[in-house]
Amino acid sequence: MVEYKVAANSVGVVETKYFDFDEIELESGKKIAPVRIAYETYGKLNKNKDNAILLCHALSADAHVAGYYKDQFDEDGNLKVDEKPGWWDNMVGPSKAFDTDKYFVICSNVICGCKGSTGPSSIDPTRGEPYGLRFPVITIKDMVNAEKKLIDYLGIRRILTLSGGSIGGMQALQWAISYPERIISTIPQASSARPSAQAIAFNEVARRAIMSDPNFNKGDYYGKERPRNGLAIARMMGHITYLSEESMKRKFGRKLFKDKVGYDFDVDFQVESYLRYQGEKFVERFDANTYLYMTKARDYYDLVEEYNGRLANAFINSTNVKYLLISFTSDWLFPTEHTKEIVRALQAVGADVSFCEIECDYGHDAFLLETDKQTQIITNFLNRVVEEEKIEII
Amino acid sequence: MVEYKVAANSVGVVETKYFDFDEIELESGKKIAPVRIAYETYGKLNKNKDNAILLCHALSADAHVAGYYKDQFDEDGNLKVDEKPGWWDNMVGPSKAFDTDKYFVICSNVICGCKGSTGPSSIDPTRGEPYGLRFPVITIKDMVNAEKKLIDYLGIRRILTLSGGSIGGMQALQWAISYPERIISTIPQASSARPSAQAIAFNEVARRAIMSDPNFNKGDYYGKERPRNGLAIARMMGHITYLSEESMKRKFGRKLFKDKVGYDFDVDFQVESYLRYQGEKFVERFDANTYLYMTKARDYYDLVEEYNGRLANAFINSTNVKYLLISFTSDWLFPTEHTKEIVRALQAVGADVSFCEIECDYGHDAFLLETDKQTQIITNFLNRVVEEEKIEII
């Protein structure tokens, strides 16, 4: 048997699992049937089934939070060159913030995703071909409802905590509103109760780029040329919004790609080369339709509108939940002010809320990149929750 | 004869003029021959020819700074519905900041432009067809050199002042470096001595959008379908960078376009509708190739690099010029810090420099939109320059 060589604090080799259920009713009034949800788990569920942590992913990620797949190793069990672990591997594993020696960590690919869960690339059983844009529009609430079915299926009565950044943070927040009795605490990061006009504007440009690519074909491009250019442009622009001006300056500044400018329209600056690479890499792994659906879900999220201008009302029935909200100083897509708006609403209803703004220059992507401070804050918070709730860790 | 009815402080009906010259040598080492420069003038040149103001335009504008063309009026001399004046009409005219009762105001379409000056859409005489991408890459210095030829042609020995925002501000600054003996003062606005990695990144995404439009055809699309989608996407994204998050919030917030969201990929929010409209309007009036050239000129501008890391050295021979630099608090594309970098360099060489950061939420476009404070500051500055230099106003 091959021994897979990984770091001591890695969850090691993991597998994606699948959960199928009959149907789901959506916020739009439409239904999807049947539904498959791809998920991964790390660590062990304790006897009381109360040490589970549900992580929620953002726009471009998936159920693969941590560890590696078998095919990333060679025959001797050594990682192949350039193989990367799951998207939050720095935060999930033995002795990490979401400590898999203590907790049972779950992550599922959202409904409308393109990494194993039912989404626009799935076969619509009524037509025998991929849904494409006939897939119904999905909201954050719909994502949470699909996750809730998975949690039911796993036999977990109360989730110890949830976390995620950006769209993942919105899910972590929405869980507290939709299913307060089913969660003990939640840790939304780089989140917002209502994205700004500017954030919507960037998403709209991304959608235009995808939908005006001639290969888009109204979303029916499966088995044909895909709208690669449109998706690459969307990703390049998105990337600028995930970084901060400071981090781009630090990483690239005005450094040239070659020794001098070319006086042409090829790559002149390193930042251009980086963005092109990010765009090209992304189209290899992501479905353009899912990009459309994820951006719409983000745009539609508006707790203030939903609760008639009184955000606090969203949390009236959720004061049993312990909240830790984390924002990042350099996040200009969902700035700290958005998190503070949520914090103030939670305080107004007397919820148990902790808030931390982490100083770092990574921008919106900071929840993926900053490890040390997040780990410290989350570890302390979880220790407190575990103690107060008398959770018996394995 | 028709009497054209315009406001008392309008320059009224204007005409575009053209100046042709044999050739220009470019910073890249290439040449363009022949060259035509489109320009407009308002007000009268005084006897000493020292009351001239040269205005420099930004990415998407042209020589038409103020007033109207004849064809914008109906037979009775009334402005037709929805007709707009030149791009800086709020600043140029009788009793305005650039007072055409006192000054002779000039603006030319930059070389590489698409509004009458020689650019990629012009016929390349060596091939008998439009240049397209065979047009050489143009720099800010090249733009200034073309303007200098126009100023020579107009018989102006010393320009009283220059002004412009963004790429126009870069030209206003470069004039002081390239031709300090030919200018008395300059007023660069919303400017930068070197755009940031983030600013380059946005331009690169815009170029990708244009160049990956199948109609782009390596720039040879004249007389055929133009890369409308690509240019519209570039413009939509550009527009986000010209506004501020605050102004978008004030103007649109999360206001819906219809009474509720559509659960589809049509327009849901007013900000989406606005951006689509901006994109569509722009492609009617602008050439995609010129967009590429203008963005490259902006990206390439780097006085710090050119002067080996010592920006002050750029101004060593330009201390005779009086400087007024203006920045805007909400400009995140060329933030105030970029202007301050220039101010510090000018102070280091003992130049006569005034600096004003105007508080307003319009973003980078503020130089086009904010009138009152700009007018006050510029009027005071010009009065001082006129007095100190003993300019005899008409």
Side-chain angles (χ1 to χ4, degrees), chain A residues 27-28 133 137 139 194-198 200-202 204-205 207-209 211-212 214 229 233 236-237 240 245 248 253-254 261-266 268-269 271-272 275-276 292-293 296 299-302 332, chain B residues 27-28 133 137 139 194-198 200-202 204-205 207-209 211-212 214 229 233 236-237 240 245 248 253-254 261-266 268-269 271-272 275-276 292-293 296 299-302 332:
Chain A
E27 204 175 347
S28 63
L133 287 193
V137 163
T139 64
R194 45 172 177 174
S196 68
Q198 190 184 63
I200 294 172
F202 279 121
E204 172 63 6
V205 178
R207 287 189 292 263
R208 277 310 93 200
M211 295 175 82
S212 64
N229 283 329
I233 290 162
M236 289 168 76
M237 188 188 60
I240 304 175
E245 201 257 335
M248 292 185 94
R254 296 184 47 90
V261 297
Y263 289 109
D264 56 28
F265 294 97
D266 280 347
D268 279 308
F269 296 95
V271 66
E272 295 173 296
L275 283 182
R276 287 195 194 187
L292 299 179
Y293 282 81
K296 263 297 176 197
D299 290 355
Y300 275 15
Y301 199 57
D302 191 341
W332 59 282
Chain B
E27 203 175 348
S28 63
L133 287 194
V137 163
T139 64
R194 46 171 178 177
S196 69
Q198 191 185 62
I200 294 172
F202 279 120
E204 171 62 7
V205 178
R207 286 189 292 263
R208 277 310 95 200
M211 295 176 82
S212 65
N229 283 327
I233 290 162
M236 289 169 74
M237 188 189 59
I240 305 175
E245 202 256 335
M248 292 186 95
R254 296 184 47 90
V261 297
Y263 289 109
D264 56 28
F265 293 97
D266 280 347
D268 278 308
F269 296 94
V271 66
E272 295 173 297
L275 283 182
R276 286 194 195 189
L292 300 179
Y293 281 82
K296 262 299 176 195
D299 291 355
Y300 275 14
Y301 200 57
D302 191 340
W332 59 281

Side-chain angles (χ1 to χ4, degrees), chain A residues 255-311:
Chain A
K255 284 198 282 279
L256 294 176
F257 185 62
K258 298 175 189 161
D259 60 334
K260 53 184 180 178
V261 297
Y263 289 109
D264 56 28
F265 294 97
D266 280 347
V267 164
D268 279 308
F269 296 95
Q270 289 184 15
V271 66
E272 295 173 296
S273 159
Y274 170 81
L275 283 182
R276 287 195 194 187
Y277 174 74
Q278 291 297 331
E280 282 161 24
K281 208 174 61 170
F282 190 63
V283 299
E284 296 305 326
R285 71 172 179 88
F286 209 79
D287 181 43
N289 279 332
T290 288
Y291 202 92
L292 299 179
Y293 282 81
M294 292 297 281
T295 56
K296 263 297 176 197
R298 196 181 89 183
D299 290 355
Y300 275 15
Y301 199 57
D302 191 341
L303 291 174
V304 179
E305 173 71 17
E306 186 177 350
Y307 289 88
N308 300 314
R310 298 173 70 99
L311 182 57

Side-chain angles (χ1 to χ4, degrees), chain B residues 19 21 24 37 54 56 106 108-109 111 140-159 162 171 174-175 178-183:
Chain B
F19 161 55
F21 56 95
I24 189 167
I37 294 296
L54 178 63
C56 306
I106 310 156
S108 66
N109 186 214
I111 188 166
I140 300 293
K141 219 181 263 185
D142 296 330
M143 293 176 187
V144 164
N145 287 342
E147 287 156 7
K148 156 75 164 41
K149 286 179 189 279
L150 173 64
I151 295 303
D152 287 343
Y153 164 76
L154 294 173
I156 295 160
R157 205 179 54 80
R158 287 180 84 201
I159 301 170
L162 289 109
Q171 294 165 60
Q174 184 60 41
W175 260 93
S178 294
Y179 302 107
E181 75 288 358
R182 298 295 297 274
I183 76 173

Side-chain angles (χ1 to χ4, degrees), chain B residues 85-321:
Chain B
W87 60 268
W88 224 2
D89 194 83
N90 56 331
M91 295 287 286
V92 176
S95 303
K96 294 183 184 174
F98 302 109
D99 188 343
T100 50
D101 283 344
K102 294 180 177 175
Y103 309 118
F104 180 63
V105 174
I106 310 156
C107 182
S108 66
N109 186 214
V110 293
I111 188 166
C112 88
C114 55
K115 300 298 182 75
S117 289
T118 300
S121 62
S122 305
I123 299 295
D124 173 358
T126 65
R127 301 171 53 100
E129 56 184 18
Y131 281 101
L133 287 194
R134 288 169 297 275
F135 196 79
V137 163
I138 294 295
T139 64
I140 300 293
K141 219 181 263 185
D142 296 330
M143 293 176 187
V144 164
N145 287 342
E147 287 156 7
K148 156 75 164 41
K149 286 179 189 279
L150 173 64
I151 295 303
D152 287 343
Y153 164 76
L154 294 173
I156 295 160
R157 205 179 54 80
R158 287 180 84 201
I159 301 170
L160 175 61
T161 203
L162 289 109
S163 192
S166 192
I167 292 175
M170 290 170 161
Q171 294 165 60
L173 188 65
Q174 184 60 41
W175 260 93
I177 300 169
S178 294
Y179 302 107
E181 75 288 358
R182 298 295 297 274
I183 76 173
I184 294 169
S185 70
T186 188
I187 311 173
Q189 301 202 48
S191 181
S192 175
R194 46 171 178 177
S196 69
Q198 191 185 62
I200 294 172
F202 279 120
N203 276 349
E204 171 62 7
V205 178
R207 286 189 292 263
R208 277 310 95 200
I210 291 168
M211 295 176 82
S212 65
D213 185 316
N215 291 332
F216 180 66
N217 192 31
K218 294 181 181 168
D220 290 326
Y221 50 76
Y222 299 106
K224 302 176 201 160
E225 272 294 307
R226 293 177 298 135
R228 296 174 60 94
N229 283 327
L231 182 59
I233 290 162
R235 177 63 168 177
M236 289 169 74
M237 188 189 59
H239 228 83
I240 305 175
T241 69
Y242 308 148
L243 304 177
S244 71
E245 202 256 335
E246 307 93 284
S247 68
M248 292 186 95
K249 186 176 178 179
R250 180 166 47 74
K251 202 163 176 177
F252 309 106
R254 296 184 47 90
K255 285 199 282 278
L256 294 176
F257 184 64
K258 298 176 188 161
D259 60 333
K260 54 184 180 178
V261 297
Y263 289 109
D264 56 28
F265 293 97
D266 280 347
V267 164
D268 278 308
F269 296 94
Q270 289 184 15
V271 66
E272 295 173 297
S273 161
Y274 170 81
L275 283 182
R276 286 194 195 189
Y277 174 74
Q278 291 297 331
E280 282 161 25
K281 209 175 59 169
F282 189 63
V283 299
E284 296 304 326
R285 71 171 178 89
F286 209 79
D287 181 42
N289 279 332
T290 288
Y291 202 93
L292 300 179
Y293 281 82
M294 292 298 281
T295 56
K296 262 299 176 195
R298 196 181 90 184
D299 291 355
Y300 275 14
Y301 200 57
D302 191 340
L303 291 175
V304 180
E305 172 72 16
E306 186 178 350
Y307 289 88
N308 300 313
R310 297 173 72 100
L311 182 57
N313 286 353
F315 304 106
I316 279 180
N317 299 315
S318 313
T319 51
N320 65 300
V321 177

Side-chain angles (χ1 to χ4, degrees), chain B residues 352-366:
Chain B
D352 175 345
V353 52
S354 305
F355 161 58
C356 185
E357 182 184 30
I358 294 180
E359 173 110 24
C360 73
D361 78 356
Y362 290 122
H364 187 59
D365 263 356

